[in-house]
Amino acid sequence: MKNIDLSLSYSLLEKCCKLCTHSLATPCSLFIECLKKGPLCHEDAVCQSKKEQRRDFLLEKTPQITYVTIGMGSCGLAAGAKKVYNFFARQIKKKDLNVVLKETGCLGLCSEEVLVRIKKPNQKPIYFGNVNVERAAEIVDLYIEHGYTPEGYVLGDLTAKNPNVEGPIKLDRLEPFRKNYAQRVVMKNVGIIEPTSLEEYILKGGFEAFNHVLKSEDNFIEEIKDSGLRGRGGAGFSTGEKLELFAQENGPKVVVTNCHESDPSAFSNRALLEGNPYLVLEGLIVAGLIGGATKGIIYLKPSYTLAYTNIKRALNILEEIGLLGTDILGSGFEFQVEIKLSSGTFVAGEETALIAALSGKRPMPESRPPYPCHRGLDDRPTLIYNCETLANLPSIIVNGAKWFRNIGSKNSSGTKVFSLSGKLRRIGYIEVEFGALLREIIFDYGGGIKDNKTFKAVQIGGPTGGFLPSSLLDIPIDYETLKELGISLGSGSIVVLDNESCIVDITRFNLEYMSKESCGRCIPCREGIYRLLELMETIIMRENQNDEDSSLKRYQVLSQLEKLAKVISDTSTCGLGENVANPVLSSLRYFKEEYEAHTFRKQCLARQCKGLLDYKIDAELCRGCTVCVDRCPEGAIVGERKHSHFILQDKCTRCGICLEICPFEAIVVS
């Protein structure tokens, strides 16, 4: 690499010279401050210059260097980020470019992956979306080497106040994502810094809260209570009150960060852990120090392999430099952290089931009290927080409760990270202040409904979450509003449905998924879900017999569904059972006409329920090519060559193969 000082490869975590006193054996209490402003233990112009150069390098301020950062979270890797990264690496080496290649996590624009950020000397960074190897070649040749901006896949500048005027970008595609990025508290450095670079994390304000808690005797519990922070895992209990109860207990104590993220449509916790593991670890350590615990556990979903790798690497670095272990920075405090993998089941995210899993038992919820903060893992007081909850603690400690209270709505302080998926133009995660309108989340940040279709409904909170119709698009998203509507935030997933989605079919799918996830302890949940599923199956199929008993059974479904759903919600032991009927109750409340169409008219208005569809062949369009006859797996199509064919309804399974392969579009679905 041309004209680049090799001293930039020096790490701020290393000793700058022999005069530096920090080591595991002789920890320095000023280590965090020294990394930002040092050296502080001695005066040396050479050391000062060396550290300043390194800080400028990490903050992308070194002259003559172009920084290329590739989004390599799970979504980026799935889109081919590794190939793009390797291509850039080869080109940089081949052309001997003054370019530094970096990795980062997911910025939140999952539908634009592979995402590439380029920061040229004395210019603002520019983002390129949907980058593949061919586009990477254009970026190197046109933009990096000659300063010309390729058109078509430039997203713009994330920080520009007037992006259509500033810089070389004529068309900016980062609005309104830029507005969303400005609101971030938890995810502000995700997709920006290198995930396992402790230097970058500290230079961006990391471990300032840790340093404050380690050295101060302030009442941090009152500060957290005054902030109004509530659990981000779904229940919304006061974080400060929970910490206060835990701190009052005596004896060995444990803090657990729940990173299980049971909801299959949620991925924001994964993005946080992959993109900024140090923030969660700092929150975990801070909670442990305040609550008097000496041990922390990261309870992680086994499928989150990249998150595991980054957390493990971060833990090793913290232990190597003395920010974890015994006598942390000479303070006398001790805190150890280990990673435990969950069983991967939905119910394993419930806190008493979590404790059972950590104890080597089958993850099954227990009745409460006693609550885990009084008696939990190994009968020790156990404080359990969702990882997003812990990630809020450092900013509250640094900026104060009043600052946090000014974010969000009156009774729901701060921000919430949501996973956006479904029939949206822009898939990814967003972080918005509580009180943001549902319409703003879907149509501004989510880009609206893809393929210019019509919005139908949104499901909030995963497979146990409720549906909301278009008439409620202008509600504010906060704990109180959703509670009034009978909906829980859950893990913060938002799944958007368009006019071609069938509410009845999706509700049935949710029940089918949850029927396999019940732990089986209590009868209402274990048996009730299957009974709900049986009732749903009744109305998405035509009965084989047209007798009075079959018709009566079908007509009774609606009243039975609602009655059974309420019984399950009222009598189940844990939150899973209490919420599992939410999709049924909310869909009956807002989309009863779809149930009535399925039940009484035997019609699926969205044409998604195969059991209610009729496949017929238009005799005028059919040319008798026999393609459908040969391909039908059930032998349900008959007819001679060059004569129109016919579908035998009693054999047809509505698989749709004939519809896909007919060259004359003669298949009619009704």
Side-chain angles (χ1 to χ4, degrees):
M1 193 178 291
K2 301 177 291 186
N3 304 321
I4 295 181
D5 189 345
L6 293 177
S7 67
L8 297 181
S9 61
Y10 152 80
S11 171
L12 293 173
L13 305 178
E14 301 170 1
K15 287 189 174 186
C16 56
C17 67
K18 293 181 180 180
L19 296 175
C20 179
T21 60
H22 178 72
S23 69
L24 281 176
T26 58
C28 176
S29 61
L30 299 176
F31 175 76
I32 303 296
E33 295 95 325
C34 186
L35 193 145
K36 293 180 178 180
K37 303 175 183 178
L40 300 178
C41 59
H42 63 283
E43 293 185 7
D44 188 302
V46 174
C47 290
Q48 184 70 35
S49 175
K50 187 177 178 181
K51 282 181 174 285
E52 286 178 358
Q53 285 186 52
R54 178 62 178 173
R55 285 190 279 263
D56 286 345
F57 177 77
L58 292 167
L59 295 173
E60 301 185 357
K61 295 180 179 179
T62 302
Q64 309 305 319
I65 292 182
T66 294
Y67 296 85
V68 176
T69 307
I70 315 292
M72 297 188 70
S74 289
C75 52
L77 292 172
K82 194 65 177 177
K83 290 182 179 179
V84 173
Y85 182 92
N86 291 338
F87 176 81
F88 271 108
R90 290 194 301 269
Q91 291 297 300
I92 292 167
K93 183 177 181 180
K94 178 181 177 181
K95 299 187 177 187
D96 195 23
L97 301 173
N98 280 2
V99 173
V100 172
L101 189 59
K102 301 170 65 178
E103 299 181 17
T104 192
C106 172
L107 187 67
L109 293 167
C110 301
S111 53
E112 299 285 352
E113 294 287 359
V114 176
L115 207 64
V116 176
R117 183 180 82 242
I118 298 182
K119 169 71 171 66
K120 299 189 76 174
N122 303 315
Q123 293 185 23
K124 292 186 176 181
I126 291 177
Y127 284 86
F128 298 83
N130 299 125
V131 177
N132 52 27
V133 171
E134 291 74 19
R135 289 180 171 181
E138 287 186 3
I139 291 171
V140 172
D141 294 339
L142 295 178
Y143 186 63
I144 294 178
E145 291 194 282
H146 298 100
Y148 296 106
T149 307
E151 296 183 1
Y153 50 94
V154 180
L155 297 181
D157 172 15
L158 195 60
T159 59
K161 295 179 181 178
N162 189 358
N164 293 324
V165 176
E166 299 178 23
I169 309 301
K170 294 181 180 179
L171 177 63
D172 183 78
R173 290 165 54 197
L174 281 178
E175 289 289 355
F177 183 78
R178 183 180 292 102
K179 176 186 173 184
N180 172 248
Y181 177 77
Q183 298 180 29
R184 292 187 176 185
V185 174
V186 170
M187 309 296 278
K188 66 179 180 180
N189 287 323
V190 178
I192 304 296
I193 64 174
E194 287 200 81
T196 58
S197 172
L198 180 59
E199 295 172 280
E200 280 193 57
Y201 178 68
I202 291 177
L203 290 177
K204 292 282 188 179
F207 278 93
E208 190 174 339
F210 161 86
N211 212 27
H212 189 34
V213 171
L214 203 64
K215 299 176 181 179
S216 172
E217 296 183 0
D218 292 351
N219 192 336
F220 296 106
I221 292 178
E222 285 302 316
E223 193 75 13
I224 295 168
K225 285 170 63 178
D226 292 343
S227 73
L229 176 64
R230 297 166 67 172
R232 297 299 193 247
F237 189 74
S238 168
T239 302
E241 290 180 18
K242 194 173 183 179
L243 181 55
E244 184 175 45
L245 292 172
F246 176 74
Q248 291 170 354
E249 296 293 322
N250 298 316
K253 293 185 274 189
V254 183
V255 181
V256 179
T257 175
N258 186 355
C259 309
H260 179 72
E261 204 164 34
S262 300
D263 180 355
S265 55
F267 46 85
S268 56
N269 286 358
R270 182 182 67 190
L272 171 61
L273 295 164
E274 290 177 355
N276 195 0
Y278 287 113
L279 180 61
V280 177
L281 290 173
E282 183 180 7
L284 178 65
I285 298 168
V286 162
L289 295 178
I290 295 173
T294 56
K295 182 179 180 180
I297 295 175
I298 298 170
Y299 183 70
L300 188 65
K301 208 170 184 176
S303 58
Y304 287 6
T305 52
L306 179 58
Y308 178 89
T309 300
N310 288 351
I311 294 169
K312 188 68 176 176
R313 173 64 179 148
L315 285 174
N316 290 339
I317 292 172
L318 292 176
E319 290 169 357
E320 287 171 6
I321 64 170
L323 294 182
L324 274 179
T326 57
D327 193 24
I328 298 174
L329 297 186
S331 65
F333 284 108
E334 174 186 351
F335 199 76
Q336 309 280 355
V337 178
E338 63 177 321
I339 303 174
K340 294 283 190 179
L341 298 181
S342 73
S343 63
T345 58
F346 189 95
V347 74
E350 196 274 341
E351 62 178 18
T352 57
L354 177 155
I355 290 171
L358 290 176
S359 303
K361 302 174 184 176
R362 180 180 173 186
M364 298 178 74
E366 300 284 347
S367 58
R368 296 171 292 183
Y371 291 93
C373 61
H374 300 302
R375 193 175 76 211
L377 181 62
D378 299 328
D379 290 331
R380 300 178 182 181
T382 304
L383 181 64
I384 303 173
Y385 283 140
N386 171 269
C387 62
E388 185 184 339
T389 308
L390 286 176
N392 275 285
L393 293 183
S395 61
I396 293 172
I397 291 169
V398 171
N399 298 302
K402 186 177 180 181
W403 167 83
F404 194 77
R405 274 283 188 188
N406 288 331
I407 303 172
S409 60
K410 182 179 179 181
N411 295 313
S412 299
S413 304
T415 61
K416 180 73 184 87
V417 186
F418 290 100
S419 306
L420 297 184
S421 61
K423 307 294 186 175
L424 285 171
R425 288 193 177 98
R426 192 179 297 125
I427 302 297
Y429 72 79
I430 60 168
E431 182 177 355
V432 296
E433 294 186 23
F434 277 113
L437 299 183
L438 184 58
R439 183 184 299 277
E440 181 183 13
I441 291 173
I442 293 172
F443 288 93
D444 289 349
Y445 304 137
I449 312 303
K450 66 180 180 181
D451 300 327
N452 295 317
K453 293 178 182 175
T454 306
F455 172 86
K456 183 175 194 174
V458 60
Q459 186 177 21
I460 300 176
T464 61
F467 295 99
L468 295 177
S470 58
S471 60
L472 294 176
L473 276 172
D474 292 312
I475 63 166
I477 297 298
D478 55 36
Y479 290 105
E480 287 69 31
T481 303
L482 292 180
K483 185 177 180 180
E484 289 174 4
L485 296 170
I487 293 176
S488 170
L489 273 176
S491 297
S493 68
I494 294 179
V495 180
V496 177
L497 311 176
D498 64 17
N499 58 307
E500 293 186 359
S501 303
C502 175
I503 296 292
V504 176
D505 184 53
I506 292 170
T507 302
R508 184 207 60 79
F509 174 81
N510 288 329
L511 290 171
E512 184 178 34
Y513 174 81
M514 294 309 302
S515 68
K516 301 169 185 174
E517 297 295 332
S518 173
C519 74
R521 178 182 290 277
C522 66
I523 293 174
C525 179
R526 183 185 70 222
E527 303 298 331
I529 298 175
Y530 278 103
R531 182 60 185 140
L532 283 175
L533 188 57
E534 287 175 7
L535 292 171
M536 295 295 291
E537 296 283 0
T538 301
I539 62 173
I540 64 168
M541 299 288 291
R542 285 195 177 95
E543 62 269 17
N544 294 326
Q545 299 176 346
N546 290 319
D547 54 37
E548 291 185 5
D549 289 341
S550 299
S551 298
L552 180 61
K553 182 180 179 181
R554 188 182 190 91
Y555 295 157
Q556 290 175 336
V557 165
L558 293 188
S559 61
Q560 290 176 342
L561 271 175
E562 187 168 8
K563 183 178 180 180
L564 179 58
K566 289 179 179 178
V567 170
I568 294 171
S569 297
D570 293 340
T571 58
S572 293
T573 301
C574 75
L576 184 151
E578 292 170 0
N579 294 317
V580 75
N582 278 344
V584 176
L585 293 172
S586 60
S587 58
L588 279 171
R589 180 179 180 183
Y590 298 115
F591 300 95
K592 196 165 187 177
E593 69 280 0
E594 288 202 29
Y595 281 89
E596 291 172 345
H598 282 70
T599 304
F600 304 130
R601 300 197 300 275
K602 301 178 184 179
Q603 293 179 345
C604 176
L605 302 178
R607 295 189 176 186
Q608 297 297 320
C609 297
K610 293 181 179 180
L612 297 180
L613 299 180
D614 279 333
Y615 282 74
K616 297 180 181 179
I617 297 176
D618 189 324
E620 294 183 2
L621 295 177
C622 180
R623 295 293 182 267
C625 67
T626 71
V627 171
C628 59
V629 175
D630 296 336
R631 292 288 300 276
C632 179
E634 302 298 327
I637 304 177
V638 295
E640 298 180 3
R641 180 174 290 277
K642 296 185 179 181
H643 290 79
S644 61
H645 300 339
F646 181 78
I647 297 177
L648 302 174
Q649 295 299 325
D650 58 338
K651 284 190 174 184
C652 179
T653 60
R654 286 87 176 172
C655 65
I657 292 177
C658 57
L659 181 66
E660 294 176 7
I661 64 171
C662 179
F664 305 106
E665 298 183 354
I667 308 298
V668 179
V669 182
S670 62

